[in-house]
Amino acid sequence: MEQVPFTGGEKESLKAALDRHRDVVLWKLQGLDEEQVRKPMTASGTSLLGLTKHLAAVEYSWFCGTFGRETEPLPIDENDPDADLRVGPEETTEEIVAFYRRARAAADAVIAELDLEARGTAWHGATVTLRWVLIHLVEETARHAGHMDIVRELIDGATGDHVRD
């Protein structure tokens, strides 16, 4: 797992922090079967796969949508604010993980291309910088990786934020 550099530049450090949490998201799915990753583990219906799907939509929306880049169709429904957190019976782990990896790659392209001061328009109309989006996505991904920590522990007792050698 990548470490945030102790003396790195701002963009490099923010990207490394985001990557650490992104890696945790994928690690939390490892070693589980299809039933386990999609099983709702809270009263609100939170599942590991649903959180992964949500984070893919968030990456596409904040990095690509904000800065005018194309995205693939996103599981967002104005009439259903939790649509991107639910996994349909036809969706597989492989498909959602691939969606997350594509979103991450598209976001990485935006991060590589733009300066931290680059401005874009968020989905709610506010002007934001790439710096702000990176900080927001570190927060968002860390928050949901923490949810995934708890959900994974409830499923099989596994804990931690990375594979220990």
Side-chain angles (χ1 to χ4, degrees):
M1 176 168 291
E2 183 175 353
Q3 294 292 325
V4 176
F6 293 127
T7 58
E10 183 179 11
K11 187 175 184 183
E12 172 191 17
S13 296
L14 287 169
K15 173 77 167 49
L18 179 58
D19 284 344
R20 281 183 54 80
H21 297 298
R22 287 166 153 178
D23 291 345
V24 169
V25 168
L26 293 173
W27 179 67
K28 289 297 174 179
L29 301 173
Q30 290 180 3
L32 297 176
D33 63 30
E34 195 71 33
E35 181 181 336
Q36 290 171 310
V37 296
R38 65 178 53 243
K39 183 177 181 181
M41 296 301 294
T42 66
S44 64
T46 301
S47 72
L48 292 173
L49 205 52
L51 287 166
T52 305
K53 181 179 175 180
H54 167 73
L55 285 169
V58 165
E59 291 247 3
Y60 265 133
S61 179
W62 278 107
F63 286 110
C64 297
T66 297
F67 296 101
R69 304 313 190 272
E70 286 190 37
T71 71
E72 59 188 276
L74 301 180
I76 296 172
D77 181 346
E78 289 181 17
N79 298 316
D80 182 1
D82 294 330
D84 63 328
L85 285 161
R86 281 193 295 284
V87 178
E90 74 288 353
E91 296 176 289
T92 67
T93 299
E94 183 178 308
E95 290 168 342
I96 290 175
V97 168
F99 176 50
Y100 183 71
R101 289 185 191 281
R102 290 190 306 273
R104 182 174 172 170
D108 286 348
V110 172
I111 295 165
E113 178 187 329
L114 299 178
D115 182 80
L116 287 174
E117 294 303 319
R119 294 175 183 265
T121 304
W123 61 271
H124 49 70
T127 298
V128 296
T129 63
L130 178 62
R131 175 184 290 106
W132 186 89
V133 172
L134 272 163
I135 291 168
H136 180 65
L137 264 290
V138 168
E139 294 171 333
E140 177 90 0
T141 306
R143 176 176 179 247
H144 291 310
H147 294 144
M148 293 177 86
D149 286 339
I150 294 165
V151 170
R152 177 66 189 253
E153 185 175 359
L154 290 170
I155 291 169
D156 70 354
T159 61
D161 68 350
H162 63 279
V163 178
R164 290 176 174 79
D165 295 332

